[in-house]
């Protein structure tokens, strides 16, 4: 079934089985492997992407439901060889360890800053409550987001 | 086709009615997708027809029409949390929406889906029952009809809808003067947790006499579906708000737990957990204990 989908400002015309999830299409059809499948049931957030300005789990939305929506994946954070200030701040603060959660974590934080440029600590915590990280203990991630806010 | 998944994308209620015409047991309605996609994968369902409701813009709204609040079935929990109408008129619904899943789930999951999914530990359902909402549905002929929420959610994972029917709207009354509401839950952790116990309370407090005139107490995760607890409600109605009432309220809740899940291994835990919930409910609805003592008669 034909699917026209806008990912990272590029419009794609694809042939997609209706039972495929957005995550499957991003990874398998478009080769955008930043979003990861961790749990496949909305617990871990490793598959987080931004759809029409909001963070969502791409494992819990069908690809065809994303028709006409604007999708942003972690691959679009870097622009013209320049990292997003969030990515810089994650590196500066040691907020990346094994790295599996990082793309999802970055997208949850990016969605937060797109909607709320000056979040409180509490708002940062709520924004990433759906992203599991077993390495950092979250403190460094929150610190990185706060640094990214400062560097706006 | 036998072994294929078909996908329908109605853009309006009229188109949806046409799509519902041939609905059978292999027809699946999807809105946010946070429940259905997991179910289809768990049950290895690879064929049938998925009808996507998310493209129906006319099902996405929160409106107040005089003494009624209408919530379109596609409204997400994130949208409910930010609704001035709900913040003002239905705090328990906002509190429930805030505590559902994670940010990502609240951005996708919808009120219609939460009702249809009828999960025994669903957070919105106790709040909807306490608010006394009606659910508006549509059939394949495009006819609309209303049912009490309690007649729609009929058991654990069971709703009373026929395959060719769809939830289109939730209709809540604006609670009158003196009414307050609360929703709280206890799970294995503070956030992003499935309720081991949840509770919604709606009370009417007469400010002149200080007496509670109406009380609805709904408990979830204590059986196949959330229910109003008569024995807890009786404990509140006609009483002054005092510290001893809080003790009686807590005792009644524990009694309800003993009755509802007698013999279950979760009973000792829930008997303890409900104490924190009853305290939260009391301070949220009636203010701090210090304030209460001053008003004791």
């Amino acid at each position: 079934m034909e699917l026209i989908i806008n990912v990272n400002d590029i419009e794609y015309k694809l042939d997609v089985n209706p039972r495929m999830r957005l995550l499957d299409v991003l990874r398998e059809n478009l080769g955008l492997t930043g979003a990861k499948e961790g749990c496949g049931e909305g617990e871990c957030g490793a598959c987080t992407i931004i759809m029409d300005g909001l963070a969502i789990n791409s494992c819990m939305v069908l690809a065809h439901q994303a028709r006409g929506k604007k999708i942003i994946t972690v691959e679009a954070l870097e622009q013209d060889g320049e990292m997003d200030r969030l990515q810089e701040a994650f590196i500066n603060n040691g907020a990346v360890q094994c790295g599996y959660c990082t793309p999802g974590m970055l997208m949850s934080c990016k969605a937060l800053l797109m909607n709320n440029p000056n979040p409180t600590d509490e708002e940062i915590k709520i924004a990433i409550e759906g992203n599991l990280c077993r390495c950092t203990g979250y403190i460094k991630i929150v610190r990185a987001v706060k640094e990214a806010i400062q560097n706006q | 086709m036998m072994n294929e998944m078909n996908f329908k994308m109605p853009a309006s209620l009229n188109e949806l009615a046409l799509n519902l015409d041939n609905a059978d047991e292999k027809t699946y309605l999807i809105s946010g997708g946070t429940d259905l996609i997991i179910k289809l994968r768990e049950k290895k369902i690879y064929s049938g027809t998925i009808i996507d409701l998310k493209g129906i813009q006319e099902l996405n709204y929160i409106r107040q029409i005089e003494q009624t609040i209408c919530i379109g079935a596609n409204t997400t929990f994130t949208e409910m949390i930010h609704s001035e109408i709900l913040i003002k008129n239905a705090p328990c619904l906002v509190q429930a929406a805030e505590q559902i899943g994670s940010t990502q789930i609240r951005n996708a999951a919808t009120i219609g889906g939460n009702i249809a999914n009828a999960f025994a530990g669903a957070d919105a359902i106790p709040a909807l029952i306490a608010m006394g909402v009606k659910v508006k549905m549509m059939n394949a002929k495009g006819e609309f009809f209303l049912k009490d929420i309690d007649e729609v959610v009929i058991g654990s994972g069971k709703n009373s809808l026929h395959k060719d029917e769809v939830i289109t709207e939730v209709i809540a009354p604006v609670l009158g003067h003196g009414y307050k509401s609360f929703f709280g839950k206890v799970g294995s952790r503070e956030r992003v947790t499935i309720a081991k116990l949840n509770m919604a309370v709606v009370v009417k407090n007469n400010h002149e006499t200080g007496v509670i005139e109406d009380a609805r107490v709904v408990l979830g995760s204590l059986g196949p579906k959330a229910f109003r607890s008569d024995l807890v409600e009786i404990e509140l109605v006609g009483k002054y708000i005092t510290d001893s009432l809080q003790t009686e309220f807590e005792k009644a809740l524990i009694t309800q737990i003993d009755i509802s899940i007698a013999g279950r291994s979760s009973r000792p835990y829930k008997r303890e957990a409900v104490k924190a919930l009853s305290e939260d409910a009391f301070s949220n609805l009636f203010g701090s204990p210090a304030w209460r003592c001053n008003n004791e008669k």
Side-chain angles (χ1 to χ4, degrees):
Chain A
M1 186 175 166
E2 186 184 274
L3 169 64
I4 295 171
I5 189 172
N6 184 310
V7 181
N8 299 335
D9 274 333
I10 302 171
E11 201 159 280
Y12 297 91
K13 199 178 189 183
L14 306 166
D15 182 29
V16 173
N17 185 316
R19 64 186 171 82
M20 290 296 129
R21 302 164 302 175
L22 179 57
L23 175 67
D24 305 323
V25 168
L26 292 175
R27 291 181 60 86
E28 287 161 31
N29 297 52
L30 303 182
L32 299 171
T33 54
K36 308 272 186 283
E37 176 150 16
C39 64
E41 53 185 36
E43 187 81 15
C44 75
C47 66
T48 303
I49 53 98
I50 299 176
M51 184 160 88
D52 280 356
L54 296 173
I56 60 150
N57 293 315
S58 61
C59 78
M60 296 192 355
V61 61
L62 294 173
H64 281 278
Q65 291 190 286
R67 66 191 182 282
K69 310 267 187 197
K70 244 177 116 58
I71 310 294
I72 309 173
T73 70
V74 72
E75 286 84 355
L77 288 190
E78 173 253 300
Q79 294 279 334
D80 304 323
E82 290 271 316
M83 277 191 284
D84 190 273
R85 59 194 155 87
L86 265 172
Q87 290 171 307
E88 301 253 15
F90 266 58
I91 293 168
N92 293 343
N93 289 278
V96 182
Q97 288 186 25
C98 90
Y100 196 87
C101 75
T102 310
M105 198 66 86
L106 280 167
M107 296 318 279
S108 282
C109 297
K110 185 69 185 172
L112 169 70
L113 298 188
M114 281 165 62
N115 294 307
N116 178 1
N118 270 304
T120 61
D121 284 18
E122 188 59 24
E123 286 167 336
I124 296 171
K125 285 181 190 168
I126 289 176
I128 61 170
E129 69 183 10
N131 295 79
L132 294 183
C133 172
R134 299 292 82 163
C135 304
T136 64
Y138 304 101
I139 306 271
K140 291 171 175 180
I141 293 171
V142 173
R143 211 176 278 156
V145 178
K146 286 162 83 171
E147 185 187 294
I149 298 165
Q150 299 261 305
N151 294 344
Q152 280 182 83
Chain B
M1 304 276 175
M2 282 285 285
N3 294 313
E4 266 184 35
M5 191 61 93
N6 296 306
F7 193 78
K8 308 277 187 202
M9 303 174 281
S12 65
L13 284 174
N14 286 339
E15 281 180 39
L16 174 60
L18 294 173
N19 289 147
L20 287 171
D21 208 21
N22 302 312
D24 58 21
E25 66 285 350
K26 298 210 74 178
T27 303
Y28 310 97
L29 301 181
I30 192 168
S31 182
T34 54
D35 289 312
L36 184 78
I37 293 173
I38 296 170
K39 269 191 200 168
L40 293 179
R41 288 168 66 81
E42 260 176 10
K43 295 183 181 167
K44 303 200 183 332
I45 296 169
Y46 303 130
S47 63
T49 301
I50 295 171
I51 303 178
D52 180 22
L53 307 174
K54 250 314 167 59
I56 306 173
Q57 293 303 323
E58 62 188 298
L59 288 182
N60 194 354
Y61 55 85
I62 301 171
R63 290 185 202 121
Q64 182 173 353
I65 303 161
E66 293 173 359
Q67 293 307 299
T68 312
I69 301 162
C70 301
I71 309 172
N74 271 349
T75 307
T76 65
F77 292 116
T78 296
E79 287 161 345
M80 288 172 62
I81 293 166
H82 295 116
S83 159
E84 291 300 327
I85 293 173
L86 296 184
I87 292 168
K88 181 164 174 266
N89 297 296
C92 67
L93 259 183
V94 176
Q95 287 161 356
E98 275 169 348
Q99 294 179 59
I100 289 169
S102 61
T103 297
Q104 291 97 315
I105 291 173
R106 291 188 296 273
N107 283 342
T110 64
I111 188 75
N114 201 252
I115 296 169
N117 193 50
F119 173 52
D123 289 323
I125 292 172
L128 293 169
I129 295 174
M131 287 291 295
V133 308
K134 296 212 181 283
V135 179
K136 193 186 214 179
M137 284 160 287
M138 186 185 81
N139 63 22
K141 290 178 191 150
E143 295 163 341
F144 291 93
F145 55 102
L146 290 177
K147 277 186 185 174
D148 283 336
I149 175 85
D150 223 28
E151 299 170 309
V152 179
V153 176
I154 53 172
S156 177
K158 290 199 184 90
N159 64 51
S160 63
L161 278 88
H162 295 123
K163 288 312 287 185
D164 65 345
E165 293 172 351
V166 59
I167 295 170
T168 58
E169 188 178 78
V170 170
I171 302 171
V174 172
L175 300 172
H177 186 67
Y179 272 96
K180 284 182 170 177
S181 72
F182 165 84
F183 172 87
K185 77 172 177 182
V186 179
S188 55
R189 53 190 179 195
E190 208 175 310
R191 300 281 308 177
V192 199
T193 192
I194 292 172
K196 288 183 186 292
L197 186 64
N198 56 17
M199 175 168 78
V201 183
V202 167
V203 286
K204 185 186 182 197
N205 181 15
N206 185 319
H207 287 297
E208 278 168 27
T209 62
V211 168
I212 297 173
E213 291 181 337
D214 186 14
R216 299 174 219 155
V217 179
V218 184
L219 292 162
S221 293
L222 264 192
K225 60 178 271 191
F227 61 91
R228 279 180 69 170
S229 170
D230 293 345
L231 73 90
V232 179
E233 291 177 1
I234 287 167
E235 207 54 61
L236 294 177
V237 176
K239 305 283 173 60
Y240 292 107
I241 299 153
T242 60
D243 288 347
S244 60
L245 180 64
Q246 182 174 344
T247 311
E248 294 308 313
F249 177 60
E250 185 183 294
K251 273 191 205 157
L253 284 167
I254 292 172
T255 306
Q256 182 65 64
I257 286 170
D258 288 342
I259 294 168
S260 295
I261 52 169
R264 293 275 287 272
S265 60
S266 60
R267 188 177 68 107
Y269 170 83
K270 292 188 182 183
R271 290 178 110 244
E272 283 302 312
V274 78
K275 293 179 184 172
L277 210 47
S278 86
E279 230 177 88
D280 284 353
F282 240 70
S283 57
N284 193 286
L285 291 166
F286 305 122
S288 69
W291 181 88
R292 261 177 263 149
C293 290
N294 294 335
N295 286 277
E296 197 157 342
K297 310 233 165 163

